[in-house]
Amino acid sequence: MLMDGCTEVSLTVAHVVRRLRGSHLHSQLERQAKDCLHQPEIKLESLKEDVRNFLKTSGWERKLQNAVYRELHIQLPLSHPAAPPEHLKEPLAYMRKAQAGWEKRVLKSLNSMSTELEVPLARMRPAAEQKELENKWNEMGTDEPDLSRFRPVYAPKDFLEVSGYQLGFWFVSGGCGDNDHSICRQAYPELNLSAGQLGIDDHAHIHPDLFEKEYVQIGKKVLSEQDSAAAQQYSRRGCPTGLRADVWALILNATNQPQDVMYYEQLKAGVIQHDLLVDKLIYKDVKLTASNDDDYFVFEDFLYQVLLCFSRDTTVLEHFAYNSATPPRSYVQGEPPPVRFFILPTVSVIPFHGFSMYVAPLCFLYNEPSKLYSVFKEMYIRYFFRLHSITSSPSGIVSLCLQFECLLQTYLPQLFYHLRQVGAQPLRIAFKWIVRAFSGYLSTDQLLLLWDRILGYDSLEIVAVLAAAVFAFRAENLMEVTSSSSAEAVLADLSTLKVMPLIQIFLFATSV
């Protein structure tokens, strides 16, 4: 039985109030409301209205609105009050089963590594080691620990084996009915051919004053209003380079107040005090990916700082309320029965090959570690976690793969079946792009334009559309390939692609 509208609204309001009641913003609002009582314009006979007007004119009402807007974007999907907790996290039983099996496999791999290498999952650093790490905190990239014995717990191709099976099951169950091209077009009205776009008009033979100058002025007004909802709408047509960092932070409600800086410092202290096995995996991943990338190698220190702090942030555990996954758990060795379990690491993710590439592009926007951390954390708990969790969410990796395959099968059928015939599975090629939201594959300026739209539409679905558009763009060459390796070669380098023209043409300029 579905809930009626009034019940839904009541439950949503109650959820948001409960979430905000214990927040730092709540205590700030209380303090501001008490302090304003000493203002001469506050009258006893109109106390409630006067306090409300004071909070509005002083900007605190807008901060509250932005906080509510954030909660509405990350909260648990509403369901019947009697629904079991696991159903709230993921309604499809076979998806829950697949995710549980995958988690078991990953944790087993981590525990095996710990046993084989005789490296504890966690340990307290000796005082001398703590001091050394603190001294070299800003130059960790110069450290060259021996990581030869460590290997990524898994790579995207391993995850494809599991999520791909679920995709096949779901494909047979539901087909491509919900992935019609016209529905894609309707989902992105701001990307139509008659609308101005950053990433298109700024590269065309059009004087920038005709679009970009006016668009920058609109962006500055959005920022002056400090309205998260307006910033999100603005981002749908792209963010100017000089405004992007502030627009994204506003959309995500990612602040850098003294309390945020203090919290980051507390996480840093946790890194200095304790050594985790996953730290080695973070080092290894950065060395294998970002350090070898011409765009990102200069940010190596930032990547270590952000990812090591992320591995200690217990507040990230809150996203498991709406994530199909569960926190990884491991046992304390040597404990007698009953076995004691603890969450390992303290957050949701055991780093996989390429995980650091979720952070690397953000380093171009934020040069203050605490602000960089705040934005990455929000990006992760809204979007990136869905790229390595098995879920039926429309922004989940299985749905994105389904959408990609449906777009190819329906609108590029000859190409799709030709590739299948020569043993070049399109999804095997595209999966690595999708699971990293194209980070490390596109040039940074083009990637940031893509991520503008992820934030603007509050969805990862544009990633699947781009993956299909890449195949459409290279279709002529791909029709000539005779093997999987030759298809891979055609699509090996995406660094010269212009993202928005590809998406716009695929959605609106084709006859499909």
Side-chain angles (χ1 to χ4, degrees), residues 257-298:
Q257 299 298 315
Q259 64 270 17
D260 301 308
V261 177
M262 185 183 302
Y263 185 66
Y264 173 79
E265 290 297 323
Q266 290 173 348
L267 295 173
K268 173 183 171 181
V271 176
I272 291 171
Q273 290 170 5
H274 294 91
D275 179 28
L276 303 179
L277 172 57
V278 293
D279 295 349
K280 311 296 190 302
L281 302 181
I282 289 170
Y283 273 103
K284 183 81 170 185
D285 185 54
V286 172
K287 292 293 185 186
L288 290 175
T289 56
S291 295
N292 293 320
D293 191 296
D294 291 342
D295 285 344
Y296 302 129
F297 74 94
V298 295

Side-chain angles (χ1 to χ4, degrees), residues 62-63 66 221-229 246 250:
R62 178 70 75 192
K63 291 180 180 180
N66 290 342
K221 184 176 181 182
V222 167
L223 289 173
S224 69
E225 294 291 329
Q226 283 295 291
D227 187 328
S228 294
D246 291 334
L250 180 56

Side-chain angles (χ1 to χ4, degrees), residues 147-199:
L147 302 172
S148 58
R149 299 185 303 158
F150 295 90
R151 62 188 184 279
V153 175
Y154 69 93
K157 64 179 181 179
D158 304 312
F159 188 48
L160 173 60
E161 294 176 9
V162 179
S163 54
Y165 176 80
Q166 300 309 311
L167 172 63
F169 190 94
W170 205 3
F171 192 91
V172 171
S173 302
C176 292
D178 294 331
N179 290 276
D180 187 87
H181 200 73
S182 62
I183 295 177
C184 276
R185 289 173 173 169
Q186 294 167 18
Y188 306 107
E190 294 83 1
L191 303 187
N192 71 71
L193 295 170
S194 61
Q197 298 288 324
L198 285 187

Side-chain angles (χ1 to χ4, degrees), residues 176-430:
C176 292
D178 294 331
N179 290 276
D180 187 87
H181 200 73
S182 62
I183 295 177
C184 276
R185 289 173 173 169
Q186 294 167 18
Y188 306 107
E190 294 83 1
L191 303 187
N192 71 71
L193 295 170
S194 61
Q197 298 288 324
L198 285 187
I200 296 179
D201 293 336
D202 47 336
H203 290 294
H205 300 295
I206 301 172
H207 195 279
D209 284 350
L210 295 178
F211 172 68
E212 191 168 3
K213 186 175 181 180
E214 180 184 357
Y215 194 65
V216 168
Q217 294 306 313
I218 295 172
K220 289 179 178 178
K221 184 176 181 182
V222 167
L223 289 173
S224 69
E225 294 291 329
Q226 283 295 291
D227 187 328
S228 294
Q232 185 171 39
Q233 184 68 32
Y234 179 79
S235 188
R236 292 184 174 191
R237 294 166 68 188
C239 295
T241 303
L243 304 182
R244 179 176 282 122
D246 291 334
V247 172
W248 284 19
L250 180 56
I251 294 171
L252 297 166
N253 200 32
T255 60
N256 197 35
Q257 299 298 315
Q259 64 270 17
D260 301 308
V261 177
M262 185 183 302
Y263 185 66
Y264 173 79
E265 290 297 323
Q266 290 173 348
L267 295 173
K268 173 183 171 181
V271 176
I272 291 171
Q273 290 170 5
H274 294 91
D275 179 28
L276 303 179
L277 172 57
V278 293
D279 295 349
K280 311 296 190 302
L281 302 181
I282 289 170
Y283 273 103
K284 183 81 170 185
D285 185 54
V286 172
K287 292 293 185 186
L288 290 175
T289 56
S291 295
N292 293 320
D293 191 296
D294 291 342
D295 285 344
Y296 302 129
F297 74 94
V298 295
F299 302 121
E300 192 172 348
D301 294 330
F302 275 1
L303 295 174
Y304 292 136
Q305 291 167 6
V306 168
L307 290 168
L308 291 173
C309 286
F310 186 72
S311 67
R312 274 83 172 167
D313 192 344
T314 55
T315 65
V316 180
L317 289 169
E318 295 174 3
H319 93 284
F320 282 107
Y322 50 90
N323 184 353
S324 62
T326 54
R329 297 175 182 273
S330 190
Y331 61 89
V332 179
Q333 293 183 354
E335 284 289 320
V339 176
R340 245 187 341 120
F341 284 86
F342 66 97
I343 293 171
L344 175 83
T346 51
V347 294
S348 59
V349 60
I350 295 172
F352 55 87
H353 180 62
F355 186 77
S356 59
M357 298 304 287
Y358 291 148
V359 187
L362 302 176
C363 296
F364 275 94
L365 305 182
Y366 307 98
N367 56 18
E368 193 173 346
S370 58
K371 185 64 175 286
L372 171 62
Y373 180 79
S374 180
V375 171
F376 165 65
K377 176 180 170 181
E378 286 296 317
M379 288 287 284
Y380 181 81
I381 65 175
R382 287 201 195 188
Y383 307 113
F384 295 148
F385 80 90
R386 298 191 187 280
L387 295 173
H388 58 92
S389 303
I390 300 172
T391 170
S392 58
S393 164
S395 277
I397 189 68
V398 178
S399 293
L400 298 182
C401 292
L402 177 64
Q403 185 177 34
F404 165 74
E405 289 222 317
C406 284
L407 287 171
L408 280 191
Q409 286 196 42
T410 307
Y411 303 107
L412 296 164
Q414 286 183 303
L415 174 62
F416 182 82
Y417 289 111
H418 169 69
L419 292 175
R420 291 287 294 265
Q421 200 169 28
V422 300
Q425 299 281 356
L427 184 57
R428 288 196 174 277
I429 298 173

Side-chain angles (χ1 to χ4, degrees), residues 36-43 50:
C36 82
L37 297 177
H38 302 292
Q39 302 288 333
E41 62 269 23
I42 305 296
K43 308 297 183 185
D50 289 349

Side-chain angles (χ1 to χ4, degrees), residues 100-112 153-154 159 328 349-352:
W102 173 246
E103 290 169 6
K104 184 177 180 181
R105 174 177 165 182
V106 171
L107 193 55
K108 181 180 179 181
S109 177
L110 187 70
N111 279 319
S112 296
V153 175
Y154 69 93
F159 188 48
V349 60
I350 295 172
F352 55 87

